[in-house]
PDB file of all heavy atoms in Angstrom:
ATOM      1  N   GLN M 321      80.775  99.841 109.381  1.00 83.00           N
ATOM      2  CA  GLN M 321      80.195  98.713 108.652  1.00 83.00           C
ATOM      3  C   GLN M 321      81.166  97.536 108.580  1.00 83.00           C
ATOM      4  O   GLN M 321      80.751  96.372 108.637  1.00 83.00           O
ATOM      5  CB  GLN M 321      79.803  99.158 107.241  1.00 83.00           C
ATOM      6  CG  GLN M 321      78.634 100.146 107.213  1.00 83.00           C
ATOM      7  CD  GLN M 321      78.262 100.539 105.798  1.00 83.00           C
ATOM      8  OE1 GLN M 321      77.785  99.711 105.035  1.00 83.00           O
ATOM      9  NE2 GLN M 321      78.494 101.790 105.445  1.00 83.00           N
ATOM     10  N   ASN M 322      82.470  97.841 108.472  1.00 80.00           N
ATOM     11  CA  ASN M 322      83.484  96.779 108.501  1.00 80.00           C
ATOM     12  C   ASN M 322      83.441  96.014 109.814  1.00 80.00           C
ATOM     13  O   ASN M 322      83.465  94.780 109.839  1.00 80.00           O
ATOM     14  CB  ASN M 322      84.885  97.387 108.322  1.00 80.00           C
ATOM     15  CG  ASN M 322      85.415  97.229 106.915  1.00 80.00           C
ATOM     16  OD1 ASN M 322      85.638  96.120 106.449  1.00 80.00           O
ATOM     17  ND2 ASN M 322      85.619  98.343 106.234  1.00 80.00           N
ATOM     18  N   LEU M 323      83.375  96.753 110.907  1.00 79.00           N
ATOM     19  CA  LEU M 323      83.384  96.111 112.226  1.00 79.00           C
ATOM     20  C   LEU M 323      82.133  95.256 112.417  1.00 79.00           C
ATOM     21  O   LEU M 323      82.206  94.132 112.945  1.00 79.00           O
ATOM     22  CB  LEU M 323      83.496  97.172 113.324  1.00 79.00           C
ATOM     23  CG  LEU M 323      84.777  98.031 113.300  1.00 79.00           C
ATOM     24  CD1 LEU M 323      84.769  99.028 114.434  1.00 79.00           C
ATOM     25  CD2 LEU M 323      86.021  97.163 113.376  1.00 79.00           C
ATOM     26  N   LEU M 324      80.984  95.784 111.991  1.00 81.00           N
ATOM     27  CA  LEU M 324      79.750  95.000 112.114  1.00 81.00           C
ATOM     28  C   LEU M 324      79.803  93.748 111.243  1.00 81.00           C
ATOM     29  O   LEU M 324      79.335  92.674 111.648  1.00 81.00           O
ATOM     30  CB  LEU M 324      78.546  95.858 111.725  1.00 81.00           C
ATOM     31  CG  LEU M 324      78.098  96.882 112.772  1.00 81.00           C
ATOM     32  CD1 LEU M 324      76.977  97.752 112.233  1.00 81.00           C
ATOM     33  CD2 LEU M 324      77.655  96.196 114.060  1.00 81.00           C
ATOM     34  N   ALA M 325      80.370  93.874 110.051  1.00 83.00           N
ATOM     35  CA  ALA M 325      80.515  92.698 109.191  1.00 83.00           C
ATOM     36  C   ALA M 325      81.424  91.660 109.845  1.00 83.00           C
ATOM     37  O   ALA M 325      81.190  90.454 109.728  1.00 83.00           O
ATOM     38  CB  ALA M 325      81.065  93.114 107.829  1.00 83.00           C
ATOM     39  N   PHE M 326      82.451  92.141 110.549  1.00 78.00           N
ATOM     40  CA  PHE M 326      83.314  91.221 111.296  1.00 78.00           C
ATOM     41  C   PHE M 326      82.517  90.493 112.375  1.00 78.00           C
ATOM     42  O   PHE M 326      82.647  89.276 112.556  1.00 78.00           O
ATOM     43  CB  PHE M 326      84.461  91.983 111.961  1.00 78.00           C
ATOM     44  CG  PHE M 326      85.691  92.044 111.133  1.00 78.00           C
ATOM     45  CD1 PHE M 326      86.258  93.252 110.805  1.00 78.00           C
ATOM     46  CD2 PHE M 326      86.293  90.889 110.661  1.00 78.00           C
ATOM     47  CE1 PHE M 326      87.393  93.319 110.035  1.00 78.00           C
ATOM     48  CE2 PHE M 326      87.427  90.939 109.891  1.00 78.00           C
ATOM     49  CZ  PHE M 326      87.986  92.160 109.574  1.00 78.00           C
ATOM     50  N   PHE M 327      81.749  91.262 113.126  1.00 76.00           N
ATOM     51  CA  PHE M 327      80.954  90.661 114.204  1.00 76.00           C
ATOM     52  C   PHE M 327      80.064  89.539 113.651  1.00 76.00           C
ATOM     53  O   PHE M 327      79.853  88.521 114.297  1.00 76.00           O
ATOM     54  CB  PHE M 327      80.078  91.722 114.881  1.00 76.00           C
ATOM     55  CG  PHE M 327      80.838  92.671 115.763  1.00 76.00           C
ATOM     56  CD1 PHE M 327      80.584  94.036 115.723  1.00 76.00           C
ATOM     57  CD2 PHE M 327      81.820  92.218 116.639  1.00 76.00           C
ATOM     58  CE1 PHE M 327      81.274  94.920 116.531  1.00 76.00           C
ATOM     59  CE2 PHE M 327      82.513  93.099 117.438  1.00 76.00           C
ATOM     60  CZ  PHE M 327      82.249  94.447 117.393  1.00 76.00           C
ATOM     61  N   ASN M 328      79.544  89.758 112.436  1.00 80.00           N
ATOM     62  CA  ASN M 328      78.641  88.788 111.818  1.00 80.00           C
ATOM     63  C   ASN M 328      79.377  87.791 110.927  1.00 80.00           C
ATOM     64  O   ASN M 328      78.739  86.965 110.269  1.00 80.00           O
ATOM     65  CB  ASN M 328      77.576  89.529 110.996  1.00 80.00           C
ATOM     66  CG  ASN M 328      76.718  90.433 111.861  1.00 80.00           C
ATOM     67  OD1 ASN M 328      76.355  90.090 112.974  1.00 80.00           O
ATOM     68  ND2 ASN M 328      76.409  91.618 111.355  1.00 80.00           N
ATOM     69  N   ARG M 329      80.692  87.899 110.856  1.00 82.00           N
ATOM     70  CA  ARG M 329      81.552  87.016 110.054  1.00 82.00           C
ATOM     71  C   ARG M 329      81.140  87.025 108.583  1.00 82.00           C
ATOM     72  O   ARG M 329      81.176  86.009 107.897  1.00 82.00           O
ATOM     73  CB  ARG M 329      81.554  85.606 110.647  1.00 82.00           C
ATOM     74  CG  ARG M 329      82.160  85.598 112.045  1.00 82.00           C
ATOM     75  CD  ARG M 329      81.860  84.350 112.827  1.00 82.00           C
ATOM     76  NE  ARG M 329      82.773  83.267 112.493  1.00 82.00           N
ATOM     77  CZ  ARG M 329      82.976  82.213 113.287  1.00 82.00           C
ATOM     78  NH1 ARG M 329      82.348  82.127 114.452  1.00 82.00           N
ATOM     79  NH2 ARG M 329      83.794  81.264 112.931  1.00 82.00           N
ATOM     80  N   ASP M 330      80.769  88.205 108.117  1.00 87.00           N
ATOM     81  CA  ASP M 330      80.382  88.388 106.723  1.00 87.00           C
ATOM     82  C   ASP M 330      81.607  88.909 105.967  1.00 87.00           C
ATOM     83  O   ASP M 330      81.757  90.101 105.708  1.00 87.00           O
ATOM     84  CB  ASP M 330      79.220  89.388 106.632  1.00 87.00           C
ATOM     85  CG  ASP M 330      78.693  89.555 105.209  1.00 87.00           C
ATOM     86  OD1 ASP M 330      79.303  88.981 104.285  1.00 87.00           O
ATOM     87  OD2 ASP M 330      77.685  90.255 105.030  1.00 87.00           O
ATOM     88  N   TYR M 331      82.513  88.002 105.578  1.00 86.00           N
ATOM     89  CA  TYR M 331      83.786  88.387 104.998  1.00 86.00           C
ATOM     90  C   TYR M 331      83.635  88.995 103.602  1.00 86.00           C
ATOM     91  O   TYR M 331      84.443  89.834 103.199  1.00 86.00           O
ATOM     92  CB  TYR M 331      84.731  87.184 104.941  1.00 86.00           C
ATOM     93  CG  TYR M 331      84.926  86.532 106.287  1.00 86.00           C
ATOM     94  CD1 TYR M 331      84.704  85.174 106.471  1.00 86.00           C
ATOM     95  CD2 TYR M 331      85.316  87.286 107.387  1.00 86.00           C
ATOM     96  CE1 TYR M 331      84.866  84.577 107.705  1.00 86.00           C
ATOM     97  CE2 TYR M 331      85.482  86.703 108.631  1.00 86.00           C
ATOM     98  CZ  TYR M 331      85.252  85.349 108.784  1.00 86.00           C
ATOM     99  OH  TYR M 331      85.409  84.768 110.016  1.00 86.00           O
ATOM    100  N   TYR M 332      82.622  88.552 102.863  1.00 89.00           N
ATOM    101  CA  TYR M 332      82.409  89.128 101.537  1.00 89.00           C
ATOM    102  C   TYR M 332      82.103  90.625 101.663  1.00 89.00           C
ATOM    103  O   TYR M 332      82.604  91.438 100.876  1.00 89.00           O
ATOM    104  CB  TYR M 332      81.263  88.418 100.819  1.00 89.00           C
ATOM    105  CG  TYR M 332      81.107  88.862  99.382  1.00 89.00           C
ATOM    106  CD1 TYR M 332      81.857  88.269  98.377  1.00 89.00           C
ATOM    107  CD2 TYR M 332      80.227  89.898  99.048  1.00 89.00           C
ATOM    108  CE1 TYR M 332      81.735  88.689  97.051  1.00 89.00           C
ATOM    109  CE2 TYR M 332      80.109  90.321  97.742  1.00 89.00           C
ATOM    110  CZ  TYR M 332      80.860  89.713  96.745  1.00 89.00           C
ATOM    111  OH  TYR M 332      80.753  90.148  95.449  1.00 89.00           O
TER     112      TYR M 332
END
Side-chain angles (χ1 to χ4, degrees):
Q321 292 181 67
N322 259 296
L323 298 180
L324 284 175
F326 267 124
F327 287 136
N328 298 321
R329 296 164 83 160
D330 184 354
Y331 305 126
Y332 187 85

